[in-house]
Every structure is written in structure tokens, then in C-alpha cells.
Amino acid sequence: MKISILLLNLGLLLCSLLAGCGRRDDPQRIIDAAIEAHGGSRFNELEMAFDFRKHHYTYQRQGGLFRYTREITDSSGHVLDVLSNAGFTRLINGDTVSLPEERAQAFTNSVNSVHYFAMLPYGLNDAAVQKSYVAETRLKGEPYHLIRVRFAQEGGGVDHEDEFLYWIHTETHTMDYLAYSYQTEGGGMRFREAFNQRELGGIRLQDYRNYKPKGEGVPLDSLGSLWDAGRLELLSEIRLLNVQVTGFQ
């Protein structure tokens, strides 16, 4: 009996050290399952186009190569922003425009942010992402794993101090809610509720209702319970329109 217990304990220890033994609170396993539920490997070979507010966007990813664009026609003409592995470029009426570093960085952040949120939870396995398990909780009576994401300074971009929370359904593995704190433009917090979930070309897409706290000094971890109690202020709806998904192997 003593030998059996010893072997069992050694097995559990080895399993924990090597792979977590499929632990329910393993944040890496939970994020992997969420990415799979939203499209999995299809994200790696993807071409997508959509409209968001006044701009038209395209998303292209092939293995480690990516190309994100944003375009609009305004008083200056046809403006095309391109963000890729090679960096950021702005073209107006087909001609490359020289930009101060600060403006180029601002445009880079803006283009990247729209694509980042549109593709979630893809991107949560990037090298700079630091994931941790918070708790198992409930929203609208449904069970969720709550995962916290922070970013390493190296590779985390100018917004590496931002902090995110993701609610991953324990059974469907879908990412149905998220919250985040940000430091730019005076800082703040947001809570997003997914709606209009649909599947196009094997990718699960969803729009969001965007909320903020009604007061100052609210902890980020409290936004889920505040939303559940109807105590957040609805700011806007974030909708991807005219979506076209192509480009799978």
C-alpha cells in the first residue's frame, strides 16, 4: 500500500512538472482550446477583408508573414496604411509618404489594434504574452475560466503595460467576454461583451458591446461582476461589416 501511494505521488509530481497533466486551471491549455474553438490553424493561412467604422481593412497571414492594411478616401485622396513584417508604410494616391516617427508609431498602433481585437483569441500565444489563471467564475449563470494577460516589455510594444482579462467558457471554450486597462490618452478601463457570433470560412467572428465603469478607481477584476449587475455604462458597439474570409490551404 505504501509503495502504491508513493508511486502515485511520484506520478502526479512528474505529470505536474512535465505537462500539467491536463490541469483544469492551466492557462496555456485554456487559451489553446479557445484558439481552436475560434478557428485554430486556419488563422495561420488566412486572408480576410472587412469594414470597421469609416475604414476598409484587409488581413493577410501566411505562416510567419503578415500584412495588415487600412484604407479610406478623404480630402487628401486615397489613403492606404500598410503594416507588415517590414514595418509601417502610408501611401496617399499610391505615393509613399514620409512621416515623423511619432505619427508612424501612432498609425501602427491603430492599425494593429483593430486587427488584434478582430482576430481574438488568436495572438494570445505571442512570445510577449504572459498568461495566468485567475479563477473559475460565472457570468449570466454560465461557467467561465478567467485568464489574466500581461505583456513582457521586450516584444510587448508601446502598450506593454496594458492588462487584459479573458472569460473562456469552460464547456464551449469560446471567448465571450474580455476586459482591459490601458495607459494611453489618460488611461481607462473597458469591458466587452461578444454578440452576433457567426462562422465564416471556419473562423468564428463576433462583434462587441463596449462598456466602461461609471466611476473612478474601479479595480479591473471587478468589471465582470459589475457588468453582470448592470452597473457599467454602454459606450458603443464594435461591429465588423461586409466580412469576406478566404485564403485557406
Side-chain angles (χ1 to χ4, degrees):
M1 176 66 76
K2 290 183 179 180
I3 294 177
S4 298
I5 294 174
L6 178 60
L7 290 174
L8 176 61
N9 289 336
L10 286 174
L12 291 174
L13 176 60
L14 181 61
C15 186
S16 176
L17 291 173
L18 292 180
C21 202
R23 282 171 35 216
R24 186 172 175 83
D25 62 350
D26 177 10
Q28 184 61 61
R29 180 188 64 81
I30 293 166
I31 292 301
D32 287 345
I35 292 173
E36 186 62 32
H38 283 254
S41 61
R42 294 176 178 85
F43 284 109
N44 297 325
E45 302 287 338
L46 176 61
E47 295 180 7
M48 185 169 121
F50 60 91
D51 296 329
F52 176 61
R53 293 178 178 160
K54 296 180 180 181
H55 291 86
H56 180 72
Y57 292 82
T58 67
Y59 173 102
Q60 296 174 313
R61 179 171 286 275
Q62 187 173 23
L65 300 177
F66 71 91
R67 185 177 188 269
Y68 307 154
T69 72
R70 176 180 68 177
E71 59 185 301
I72 190 173
T73 299
D74 59 18
S75 58
S76 60
H78 180 260
V79 181
L80 174 65
D81 293 330
V82 180
L83 178 62
S84 70
N85 301 81
F88 176 83
T89 303
R90 165 162 284 199
L91 299 95
I92 297 181
N93 297 325
D95 296 324
T96 301
V97 177
S98 179
L99 296 170
E101 183 177 348
E102 185 175 337
R103 290 195 69 199
Q105 186 61 61
F107 292 143
T108 295
N109 296 342
S110 180
V111 172
N112 187 65
S113 177
V114 170
H115 286 90
Y116 174 84
F117 281 109
M119 296 294 112
L120 282 173
Y122 185 76
L124 295 184
N125 276 336
D126 288 349
V129 173
Q130 301 172 337
K131 300 179 277 285
S132 61
Y133 190 87
V134 179
E136 187 167 331
T137 186
R138 302 184 80 86
L139 285 181
K140 281 191 174 180
E142 292 291 318
Y144 289 93
H145 295 296
L146 182 57
I147 306 296
R148 188 186 312 277
V149 164
R150 295 187 174 102
F151 300 91
Q153 183 171 357
E154 183 177 355
V158 295
D159 298 329
H160 67 270
E161 294 182 345
D162 293 354
E163 181 178 337
F164 286 76
L165 295 173
Y166 295 95
W167 283 260
I168 311 297
H169 199 284
T170 62
E171 298 172 4
T172 65
H173 311 298
T174 53
M175 188 205 77
D176 297 338
Y177 307 93
L178 66 113
Y180 60 97
S181 62
Y182 61 94
Q183 309 303 317
T184 57
E185 298 180 359
M189 294 182 184
R190 296 290 184 266
F191 179 89
R192 293 190 180 185
E193 169 201 7
F195 75 102
N196 191 30
Q197 294 90 341
R198 68 272 196 202
E199 184 175 306
L200 293 173
I203 296 293
R204 178 185 173 90
L205 298 172
Q206 49 197 31
D207 300 324
Y208 296 94
R209 297 185 181 95
N210 192 33
Y211 299 83
K212 74 169 185 176
K214 295 181 179 180
E216 300 292 333
V218 176
L220 179 64
D221 292 31
S222 70
L223 293 190
S225 58
L226 289 173
W227 173 83
D228 218 6
R231 295 170 58 190
L232 294 182
E233 178 184 345
L234 178 63
L235 285 177
S236 61
E237 289 189 348
I238 299 169
R239 295 176 176 267
L240 303 183
L241 303 176
N242 306 316
V243 182
Q244 295 181 315
V245 178
T246 59
F248 297 119
Q249 287 183 334

